[in-house]
Amino acid sequence: MLKITTMFHHVKELQFNARVSKPDVRFAKLLLEQFGGPNGELKAAMQYFVQAFGCRKSNPDVYDMLMDIATEEFSHLEIVGATVQMLLTGVNGELKNAADESDLTKMLDGKPAKENYIHEAMTNPHFFVVSGGTPTLTDSVGNPWSATYIMGMGDLTADLRLNIGAETSAKMVYQNLMKFTDDPLVLESLRFLMTREVAHFQMFEAALNSIQPNFPPGILQSDPRFSNKYFNMSNGKDFKGPWNEGKSPEMGEDWQYIASPLEHVQQTNGLLDEKAKGTERTEKSVQKKNKSISAKRKAEADKAAPPEKGVMSW
């Protein structure tokens, strides 16, 4: 028997008091990118929500954080949806004014709004024609939201890095969206949402740092023969930097710069005779660490699994 006690509770106020100065059909369409797009709020909410299931017992602190942030992302989805709806003020009513000819020209201060509206409807007919002037779970050009946007590897160190990337992408989308509206109230909401992406980035980064060891992602360690090799794989002017000289940032190994990869591959029998250089790690030490981390992760998973008196409780 499974006992599940999780509960969602909707509060009828928005997390941030989203406001709009005037309708803007075209920006409403652009804003759909953060409603149902690959970097939008629904993607983030579902990604963190799904990832949390795997660490409920083994890492309850990270589970708590993931659920908190996932729930906040749902609140951001509500802010975006509310803003889209406000930006479409007038459209919904005109679409329902079936008895008389609709006058959409009033919506954009005398501009040829009806022609613009028809153009927008042609590029995203589902949003304007099928939905009747309400937000749709699509991106800005009408592609439907898909679960293929969700990324998760079942390993916290990998998932948290994926989430840092997701927050980075979402932050950039909001930053770019801010260039396409001059409504100060809309900009106020976008800035809030953009800022929360920055906050979440730091939360995921801090959570990642709290898990040790956390590099490389997963359990198995890398081959010391190849972990610090930099292959100069392009012709032209070469550049040096912390990515190919000095010490590697995570493992502290000395970068080995391979200036002529073809010659190097030929000399090492297709890298089969490659030797580890610039590192203290050996094949023996790698296998020892593989076993120790595997045992640690297994113990964490086993500790989370056993039922109590034949009952598994969430």
Side-chain angles (χ1 to χ4, degrees), residues 44-65:
M46 293 306 300
Q47 178 160 307
Y48 310 153
F49 182 70
V50 170
Q51 288 175 353
F53 284 100
C55 64
R56 170 69 175 84
K57 294 294 181 67
S58 60
N59 298 84
D61 52 346
V62 180
Y63 169 86
D64 183 56
M65 180 200 69

Side-chain angles (χ1 to χ4, degrees), residues 126-152:
H126 189 274
F127 181 35
F128 289 105
V129 178
V130 180
S131 75
T134 58
T136 57
L137 283 175
T138 69
D139 63 15
S140 58
V141 294
N143 296 311
W145 187 88
S146 171
T148 57
Y149 299 155
I150 306 305
M151 302 180 70

Side-chain angles (χ1 to χ4, degrees), residues 153-221:
M153 301 300 297
D155 179 274
L156 273 181
T157 65
D159 287 350
L160 290 169
R161 287 184 170 92
L162 290 172
N163 296 349
I164 289 170
E167 296 296 323
T168 300
S169 298
K171 189 269 184 186
M172 294 306 299
V173 173
Y174 278 122
Q175 177 176 304
N176 292 334
L177 281 170
M178 292 172 74
K179 301 174 184 176
F180 290 92
T181 179
D182 57 2
D183 187 324
L185 300 182
V186 174
L187 286 170
E188 188 178 56
S189 295
L190 295 180
R191 189 179 185 216
F192 166 77
L193 293 167
M194 181 192 73
T195 298
R196 293 307 297 163
E197 310 296 350
V198 176
H200 293 165
F201 181 110
Q202 296 176 91
M203 294 173 197
F204 289 134
E205 190 173 47
L208 176 62
N209 291 335
S210 74
I211 302 172
Q212 296 297 330
N214 65 28
F215 189 87
I219 295 171
L220 297 180
Q221 302 301 295

